[in-house]
Structures are given as C-alpha cells and as structure tokens.
Amino acid sequence: MTTSVSTTTSTAASTGYSTLQASDSGTGIDYATLIEAKVAQRLTRADRIDATITENEATISAYSDLQDLLLAMNDAIDGLRNRSASTGASENLFSQRTAYVSDDDVLSVTADDDAEEGTYLIEVQQIATKHKISSDATSSRTEGMGLEGSFTIGLDGGESVTVEVESDDTLEEIRDAINAQKSTSGVSASIVQVDDGSYQLILTGTETGQEISLTDGEGGVLAGLGLVDDDGAIANELVAAQDAIIVVDGVTITRDTNSIDDAIDGLTIDLYAASEGDTLSVEIGTDLSAIKSALTDFVDAYNAYRDFALQQQATGSDGTAADDATLFSDSLLRQVNQAVYDALNTSITTSDGDLLSLADLGLTFDSSNKLTLDEDTLNSILIDDIDGVRELLGLNMESSSSQLSLLRYGDDVTATSFTLDITVEDGSVTSASVNGDDSLFTVSGKRLVGKEGTAYEGLVLVWSGSSGSVDVSFSQGLADKLYSAVEAVADEYDGDIQAMVDKLETENTQLTTRSDTIKDNAESYRTRLTAYYARLEAAAETANLLLQQLTYSEDDD
C-alpha cells in the first residue's frame, strides 16, 4: 500500500496543470479556474498598458496622416514663395518664363528661368536643311551590283571614311557598309523603292547646313551607282544643304541649325518652316499657367487637409468624439489649424498701394472653411497684376536705396527690418554693420553675406554705392508665411509633429517592455501556482487513499 501511495503523489505533482483540470479526486476544488483568476488579476496592469499602446499607435498614425497632408500642401505652394532654388525652394514659379508666339507652326521658343521679359519680332527667311542626294535607279536591291573598288564619304569640314565594295555586293550591302560608319562620316544611307523593280540609294547628311563630300576611288563605284557624274560632281541632288536665316528685330542671324540658342540670352528658338516676309511676334513673360496650376494644386491639398481636420472634430450621437476622431481636442491639431488660418488670412499692401488678400486670387472659404476657386477672378489678376500676386504670395525685399540689390536669401530670412551701415573704400565694401555690430555679415568685394548662426544667414546682398546707411525690410507674403508655419510643425526631422511621434514611439517601446515583463512574471506566477496546487491535490489524494484504507481495514475487522 505504501508503494501505491507514493506513485500517486509523484504523478499528481509532476503532471501539474493538466492534472488539476482533469482530476475528480482529492479536494474537489477547481484549481484551474482559481489559477486563471489569480493570473488574470496580475495581467490587468498589462492589459491597461496594452490599451495605452494601442491608443498611442492610433495617435501616431493620425499624426503621420496629418504630417503627410501638411507636407503635400507645402509641396504645392513651394514654388509660389518667390524664393530661388539655391535657397532651398524646389522652384520659383515667378522667375519661370514662357514664350507666347503668334504662329507656332513656323517656330517655337523656350525660355530659361529669369530670361529677360519683353517682345521680339522674328522673321524666318530660311530653315536649315540636311543635304540629300540619290543614286540612279537599279532593278534589284538584293542582287550583286558588279561594282568593285572603294570610295570616301563624309561631310564638308568633318571626318571622311573609306567604304570598300566587292563585286557581288548588293545595294543593301552597300547601304549597310555606309551606315556602319555613319557616326564618323555624318552620312546615312537608305533605299527607296521608286516603283516595281526600281530602287534608289539615298544619302542624307546627319547635320543641317553641311554638304556631303564624295570622292570616287579606283573602280568607279560612285559613278557606277550614279551618285557622281563623269567629273566627280554630285549627279542627283534632292535637297541642298543650307543654313537657317532669321531676322530678329531687324538683325539678320545665320546658323547651321534649326535650334538656335545663342541669338537671344535665355531663349532657344526652334524653326519649323520658312515664312519669308512674315514677321512673327514673340512675347516672353512669366509662366502664368504654372502659377495657376500650383494654386489649383494648393486648393486640392488644403481641402484634403481640411477634410482630415473636420473628421477629427466629429462627434457621435451622444456628443462624444466619433470613433475615427483620433485627434479630438488635440492641442497640436488646434495649433496647426490656427497657424494655417492665420497665414491664409494674410493681406498685404503692394508697392502700388493696393490691398490684396486671398479673395483677390479668386479663393474664398465655404461654410466648412474649405477653399473654393473662381477661375475667372484668378485668370484676371494673373494677367493684369502678376507683380501684385508675387507680392501677395512671396517673400519681398524693400530697400531705401536702389544701389542695394538682393542676390540670394535663405529659408531663415522671414519678416524682418534693419538698417545697414556700409563703409566703402577704393570702390570695395570694407564693412557692413547693423546697430554697430559688424560681425553679422562677411564682406566679399561688393557682396554682403549673412553669417551662419545669425538672423541674416543665407542672405546675400550686393551694394554698388558709396559709404552710407540703407534701410532694408523683408515682408512675408501669404504663401511664404504659410509654408514657414507648416514647416515648423510638419518637418520630417525636427517639426512639432515628428517630435510628438518620436515621443509616443519611445513611450510605446518602454510600455511594451513593461507589459512584456508583467506577462512574463504572470506566466511564472502561473507555473508556481500550478505546481503548488498540484502538490496540494497530491497530498489530498494521498490522504483520501489512507482514509479509504482505514475504512477498508475497519470493514474487514
């Protein structure tokens, strides 16, 4: 009997949790439920932490969406800030030029940024052409020509090549031999089928205005093909090589190409057809369509952001935050909304004395504070007052002296005013100070460069006068002010949103560690309880067996 008791105790203690679930003997206590209750009590803290992690993750996701929407808005207005690419802007749409041509079937004009605005009168008297000649007709392109020898071919002023021909070479093989060296010779060959059983070899110069040069060698291959006559001159000229001739504001210009980029600074003129006697008008001005497109894109980007903001303010039927209003009553979102609203309500007085605001661009707010665009109003102000649009939207500098000009400015330059005291000796600037401090600018010839770490960092001014004082002021237009406000919040590296996201992600990392520790400890606690209750159950079973043995003994007696 002792052996039997010992075996039962060992089994109960070793099988642990599964035995506690399955046993009907011993105390009759449901140890499994008891253990689960005690472990669950300890896991309550972990559940609360996990809930916080989930809330943080939802907030991080919402902040990331907000950041993306704000950055998209800034992408749309970046080119409207009147800042150069060298100062961090992706482009300056107010410096982009486009050409308006009275007849684009004759020519087109491409304008570089900052090309001089104005009107030019252009007459296309002649376009440049490629030299083209042909051979005599032959009855087959695939039968041997019976010509043997060599010839040289090239363009006048260029490099010539030698082409070898065998007696069994076909017209196609002669064509291929010429084309094998066309990158050097500048002459390409093709075959034209004139009619059934009649083919001609066509030679074309790859450069306009350059004549093809042919020299027949021993064997008279070129003469046999009919490309040259008995005197070695070209026999069949299809198109003569000629230069382009245009007249710009009365000045005659000749070039060997139809793409002329050195006649007027910043302009490339592409010629399509001659129109001798007809004078075309070419007007160079600001690319208004690019500015309009950017404003339209901004409206779409702003309204997408506004939809998000409205979603975060939504309430349910009980007046509490809606399920998807993750940032309901969020202070950072309120800060963003206010900053955007303040920037969009900027108004400026232009240099002409006009008061301009968003409405003058045809942009107004609806009942949800989303933007609507009146294209007629926008088109009108772009055509009539592009300078006013630039002042309304971009960063502008005013100076009390016309001898001070702005060369570049950085992102750190916003709305500021200061007086520059400039000293000039022997025609060069020797010092520039603000309020007596001459450590703010570095002087280089006539250039005044704002030093790194100062309020003037990135600012480059040019002074062409003598010693004196100049009052300088910078004003931020609507787009520049909005961009600065949004950048401070949405910058992917050091913006307020990113700082909050980083903080929440750090917090989640710490919370996850705490939750995992609690869960690990709870599992260890489960193991200890299971082993403890297993020993109790085993002891109870042993006692029960002893009681049964005593009962049996008494019955036997």
Side-chain angles (χ1 to χ4, degrees):
M1 286 189 185
T2 302
T3 303
S4 175
V5 172
S6 174
T7 302
T8 305
T9 302
S10 173
T11 301
S14 62
T15 55
Y17 189 54
S18 61
T19 303
L20 292 175
Q21 289 179 309
S23 176
D24 291 326
S25 62
T27 63
I29 297 174
D30 186 354
Y31 288 115
T33 302
L34 182 60
I35 291 171
E36 283 304 307
K38 288 181 173 291
V39 171
Q41 185 177 17
R42 295 211 172 189
L43 287 174
T44 300
R45 287 172 54 214
D47 293 339
R48 288 197 297 266
I49 291 173
D50 288 347
T52 300
I53 292 173
T54 300
E55 291 174 4
N56 286 349
E57 288 173 344
T59 302
I60 289 171
S61 178
Y63 275 144
S64 297
D65 291 341
L66 174 60
Q67 185 179 45
D68 290 342
L69 290 167
L70 291 172
L71 290 174
M73 194 161 60
N74 264 10
D75 285 344
I77 62 170
D78 191 15
L80 299 171
R81 298 189 295 142
N82 195 31
R83 291 179 180 260
S84 64
S86 63
T87 62
S90 60
E91 58 187 352
N92 184 353
L93 296 179
F94 291 103
S95 70
Q96 289 188 6
R97 301 290 179 255
T98 191
Y100 304 92
V101 183
S102 58
D103 188 348
D104 56 11
D105 289 331
V106 176
L107 61 85
S108 67
V109 177
T110 304
D112 294 340
D113 289 358
D114 299 318
E116 194 70 29
E117 293 184 283
T119 301
Y120 302 91
L121 299 179
I122 301 178
E123 176 192 356
V124 182
Q125 294 184 343
Q126 178 176 293
I127 64 171
T129 55
K130 296 177 180 179
H131 199 195
K132 183 174 289 191
I133 63 176
S134 75
S135 70
D136 291 337
T138 184
S139 60
S140 174
R141 59 188 293 165
T142 57
E143 295 179 2
M145 298 288 295
L147 300 172
E148 185 172 0
S150 64
F151 59 88
T152 59
I153 185 171
L155 294 178
D156 283 348
E159 184 177 350
S160 295
V161 300
T162 299
V163 179
E164 302 286 346
V165 178
E166 303 291 338
S167 61
D168 58 352
D169 283 348
T170 66
L171 192 64
E172 288 184 351
E173 289 172 329
I174 295 174
R175 175 202 62 191
D176 294 343
I178 294 172
N179 285 338
Q181 301 186 76
K182 67 180 179 181
S183 61
T184 302
S185 69
V187 180
S188 65
S190 61
I191 296 174
V192 174
Q193 183 173 348
V194 180
D195 52 39
D196 289 343
S198 180
Y199 304 90
Q200 286 181 296
L201 182 68
I202 308 297
L203 301 184
T204 304
T206 58
E207 301 290 338
T208 54
Q210 303 294 319
E211 289 189 347
I212 296 173
S213 174
L214 296 173
T215 302
D216 215 351
E218 191 173 331
V221 175
L222 293 177
L225 290 169
L227 287 168
V228 299
D229 59 21
D230 292 340
D231 296 325
I234 291 174
N236 303 302
E237 185 175 63
L238 302 178
V239 178
Q242 63 182 23
D243 291 337
I245 303 175
I246 63 174
V247 180
V248 180
D249 292 340
V251 179
T252 300
I253 297 170
T254 302
R255 297 289 187 273
D256 62 1
T257 175
N258 289 317
S259 184
I260 303 172
D261 60 6
D262 59 354
I264 304 173
D265 288 343
L267 301 184
T268 299
I269 304 170
D270 291 307
L271 309 179
Y272 304 133
S275 184
E276 190 170 5
D278 293 332
T279 300
L280 307 182
S281 174
V282 177
E283 181 181 352
I284 308 301
T286 303
D287 190 348
L288 303 182
S289 62
I291 294 174
K292 179 180 178 180
S293 178
L295 283 168
T296 302
D297 291 344
F298 164 68
V299 170
D300 292 339
Y302 168 81
N303 286 342
Y305 147 75
R306 187 62 193 155
D307 283 335
F308 175 86
L310 291 172
Q311 174 187 320
Q312 303 308 312
Q313 297 168 2
T315 58
S317 57
D318 59 354
T320 61
D323 291 340
D324 55 356
T326 307
L327 300 181
F328 190 84
S329 297
D330 183 81
S331 60
L332 183 53
L333 178 57
R334 288 199 304 271
Q335 172 191 333
V336 172
N337 290 338
Q338 188 63 50
V340 170
Y341 178 81
D342 290 344
L344 290 179
N345 281 278
T346 297
S347 60
I348 61 106
T349 300
T350 69
S351 54
D352 293 332
D354 297 326
L355 182 66
L356 296 181
S357 66
L358 199 65
D360 293 290
L361 299 176
L363 295 172
T364 55
F365 293 102
D366 63 14
S367 58
S368 299
N369 272 340
K370 296 174 69 175
L371 285 173
T372 60
L373 172 63
D374 184 328
E375 288 198 40
D376 291 338
T377 301
L378 178 58
N379 292 340
S380 178
I381 195 172
L382 288 176
I383 293 171
D384 297 337
D385 192 11
I386 187 60
D387 289 335
V389 174
R390 185 189 66 247
E391 290 183 60
L392 171 62
L393 296 176
L395 182 75
N396 305 284
M397 186 191 86
E398 292 184 6
S399 167
S400 61
S401 173
S402 60
Q403 293 175 311
L404 183 71
S405 59
L406 175 65
L407 183 61
R408 289 194 301 274
Y409 45 87
D411 282 342
D412 292 334
V413 178
T414 54
T416 185
S417 298
F418 55 94
T419 298
L420 267 175
D421 297 312
I422 303 172
T423 302
V424 178
E425 296 178 3
D426 298 328
S428 296
V429 178
T430 57
S431 69
S433 61
V434 177
N435 295 328
D437 187 351
D438 62 1
S439 66
L440 304 174
F441 286 88
T442 297
V443 175
S444 176
K446 294 184 177 182
R447 292 189 180 188
L448 314 177
V449 183
K451 286 189 177 180
E452 184 178 352
T454 71
Y456 311 102
E457 180 179 349
L459 184 61
V460 181
L461 302 170
V462 178
W463 175 249
S464 58
S466 56
S467 298
S469 296
V470 186
D471 295 326
V472 183
S473 66
F474 285 89
S475 61
Q476 274 188 294
L478 187 153
D480 199 59
K481 184 180 293 185
L482 177 60
Y483 188 97
S484 297
V486 169
E487 185 75 0
V489 175
D491 184 81
E492 295 174 289
Y493 298 100
D494 57 5
D496 295 339
I497 293 176
Q498 191 60 50
M500 185 61 72
V501 168
D502 292 343
K503 177 182 176 182
L504 289 173
E505 287 179 341
T506 299
E507 180 180 330
N508 271 4
T509 299
Q510 296 170 344
L511 289 174
T512 299
T513 301
R514 287 172 55 192
S515 177
D516 290 344
T517 299
I518 292 171
K519 291 173 183 176
D520 290 342
N521 290 341
E523 285 304 311
S524 297
Y525 181 58
R526 182 200 300 279
T527 301
R528 293 196 304 273
L529 276 182
T530 300
Y532 173 70
Y533 288 130
R535 289 195 297 272
L536 289 182
E537 181 67 14
E541 289 181 3
T542 300
N544 188 44
L545 288 173
L546 289 174
L547 180 60
Q548 291 178 15
Q549 291 173 9
L550 291 174
T551 302
Y552 292 152
S553 298
E554 290 176 358
D555 290 342
D556 290 342
D557 292 339

